Amino acid sequence: MTLVELADVSKHYGNIRALAGVSLEVDTGEITCVLGDNGAGKSTLIKIISGLHQHDGGVLRLDGEETMLSSPREALDRGIATVYQDLAVVPLMPVWRNFFLGSEPRKGVGPFKRMDVEVMKRTTHAELLRMGIDLRDVDQPIGTLSGGERQCVAIARAVHFGAKVLVLDEPTAALGVKQSGVVLKLVAAARDEGLGVVFITHNPHHAYMVGDRFVLLKRGTMVGSYTRESIELDELTRQMAGGNE
Ligand code: ATP
């Protein structure tokens, strides 16, 4: 099933054209990679899919239904979770608290009960483990984790809270080879759980390690769109390098 579809989408900021004629699809259990260098329009694309900005041309469809997302809340309610590069985590809070951030009991309910805390710690550990991350001490401040582990917690959190679509903003950009590998494994695990993933990156190698579809952006326009079967890594890398000219 197609979860997200952009058809000929454009976005302007005043006179500046940030995106024009961009089309892509994200299906259940599939990773669509969006590749591009600085200024290609990747952030603008994320903002449209996550409800921060509205497109001004073309069509956005969610589950086949034409939609204009008016807020990040609405995107979240429709099952779209975005993990930004700077991650919405509170460094001094324990990992488990960050995992449950935003899911606190609402108005009129006091702080977590002790019992709840134990359950939440166990849940955090179990969920991370299920996604392939064995983090023994979920009580440590999340700021003490590596960048890769923090990304993993943010991704596992989105999966746990029922996202259907995961939008990842350059999740491996600041990471070394080993940590990138851990994050990419988790991205693949999210796909294998049936989520649709939009993976924004400027790294064709990382894209090709997990991607099912590849969309290349350059200065706001789509310069290529491929399925995994239709392109080899060498060619994808060459196309990206061509985008620098
Ligand atoms: P980067 O990785 O550098 O953030 P990007 O691929 O994410 O690049 P965007 O940030 O989407 O690209 O920017 C696409 C174009 O739109 C750029 O020319 C940028 O200067 C312009 N742009 C982005 N946001 C705004 C804004 N709020 N107002 C005006 N122009 C903008």
Side-chain angles (χ1 to χ4, degrees):
M1 186 176 62
T2 304
L3 298 170
V4 179
E5 185 190 353
L6 271 68
D8 205 18
V9 158
S10 60
K11 170 71 185 170
H12 296 76
Y13 298 106
N15 288 333
I16 299 168
R17 188 195 67 178
L19 279 183
V22 173
S23 300
L24 62 80
E25 260 183 50
V26 190
D27 288 5
T28 309
E30 210 178 60
I31 299 174
T32 296
C33 301
V34 179
L35 290 131
D37 290 316
N38 290 350
K42 304 185 300 297
S43 304
T44 301
L45 191 80
I46 291 180
K47 286 171 186 160
I48 290 169
I49 301 176
S50 61
L52 263 170
H53 286 336
Q54 285 72 47
H55 52 291
D56 48 31
V59 174
L60 166 67
R61 291 191 189 91
L62 300 182
D63 301 323
E65 182 196 332
E66 191 171 335
T67 309
M68 181 75 83
L69 292 170
S70 60
S71 68
R73 181 74 250 172
E74 191 186 344
L76 208 54
D77 288 345
R78 301 280 308 252
I80 300 172
T82 304
V83 177
Y84 288 99
Q85 217 174 345
D86 54 2
L87 298 177
V89 297
V90 184
L92 291 176
M93 270 189 188
V95 173
W96 69 268
R97 277 289 268 132
N98 272 284
F99 194 88
F100 280 90
L101 209 62
S103 69
E104 286 88 348
R106 307 272 162 191
K107 243 176 34 187
V109 183
F112 294 128
K113 294 191 201 100
R114 236 170 101 163
M115 188 59 195
D116 294 339
V117 168
E118 288 313 311
V119 172
M120 284 189 281
K121 284 182 189 177
R122 275 207 302 278
T123 305
T124 303
H125 180 254
E127 277 298 281
L128 288 169
L129 195 60
R130 193 170 63 82
M131 307 284 299
I133 312 291
D134 188 5
L135 196 67
R136 301 245 158 76
D137 181 12
V138 295
D139 238 337
Q140 63 187 307
I142 199 165
T144 61
L145 299 186
S146 68
E149 288 170 328
R150 284 201 298 275
Q151 278 286 344
C152 287
V153 174
I155 294 170
R157 173 171 72 181
V159 175
H160 175 70
F161 287 103
K164 287 197 292 185
V165 178
L166 200 54
V167 183
L168 304 175
D169 178 16
E170 308 221 27
T172 58
L175 307 181
V177 175
K178 196 169 158 212
Q179 286 194 36
S180 293
V182 174
V183 171
L184 290 170
K185 237 174 97 181
L186 193 72
V187 174
R191 180 253 318 270
D192 295 343
E193 295 229 345
L195 277 83
V197 181
V198 182
F199 176 19
I200 311 284
T201 181
H202 59 258
N203 187 321
H205 298 271
H206 290 177
Y208 206 78
M209 279 167 81
V210 294
D212 300 292
R213 296 173 193 260
F214 308 93
V215 172
L216 262 67
L217 298 183
K218 183 184 174 189
R219 287 192 217 113
T221 61
M222 198 170 73
V223 293
S225 178
Y226 310 94
T227 59
R228 188 174 190 87
E229 295 71 39
S230 69
I231 194 163
E232 300 280 336
L233 173 60
D234 284 356
E235 177 61 12
L236 190 66
T237 309
R238 209 183 59 74
Q239 295 270 347
M240 270 296 284
N244 287 328
E245 282 161 13

